[in-house]
Amino acid sequence: MITRGYNVIKKSMDHVTKKIGQNIKNIRLSKGITQLVLATKLDADKSYVSKLENGKFNPTINTLEKIANVLSVSIKDLIWGTNPSILRWKQ
């Protein structure tokens, strides 16, 4: 029973991690920034940015704050995305 509950939470978190990664990638691309440039500004490897964007790593709040600063967006934008029609019902 506990294992099942853990698997449900893990699956949900995996979905959130992938969505955040997609949002980071979409925002980065919309600003014309490459993974290499983002990685350099974060003092990280390009592979780290790639893994974040592909949902392989779960970013910490500190990492999200750094990414948000580099991309000139809010942490909320990284988590929820920047599509106004999607955000309307979540505010």
Side-chain angles (χ1 to χ4, degrees), residues 17-27 52-55:
T17 301
K18 287 179 184 177
K19 187 62 182 161
I20 291 170
Q22 290 171 352
N23 291 338
I24 292 169
K25 182 177 182 177
N26 290 340
I27 293 167
L52 276 176
E53 290 183 350
N54 288 305

Side-chain angles (χ1 to χ4, degrees), residues 6-79:
Y6 170 79
N7 289 337
V8 169
I9 292 170
K10 182 174 180 344
K11 186 175 181 179
S12 178
M13 288 305 297
D14 289 346
H15 174 75
V16 170
T17 301
K18 287 179 184 177
K19 187 62 182 161
I20 291 170
Q22 290 171 352
N23 291 338
I24 292 169
K25 182 177 182 177
N26 290 340
I27 293 167
R28 177 182 61 75
L29 290 174
S30 75
K31 295 182 176 282
I33 297 173
T34 65
Q35 284 184 340
L36 182 59
V37 169
L38 179 57
T40 301
K41 291 184 178 194
L42 295 174
D43 196 27
D45 292 330
K46 181 180 173 248
S47 64
Y48 177 74
V49 172
S50 175
K51 289 176 182 175
L52 276 176
E53 290 183 350
N54 288 305
K56 304 293 183 196
F57 286 154
N58 190 3
T60 65
I61 294 296
N62 289 337
T63 300
L64 289 175
E65 182 178 31
K66 289 177 186 177
I67 294 168
N69 287 335
V70 170
L71 297 176
S72 300
V73 297
S74 68
I75 292 174
K76 178 179 129 182
D77 291 337
L78 298 179
I79 294 170

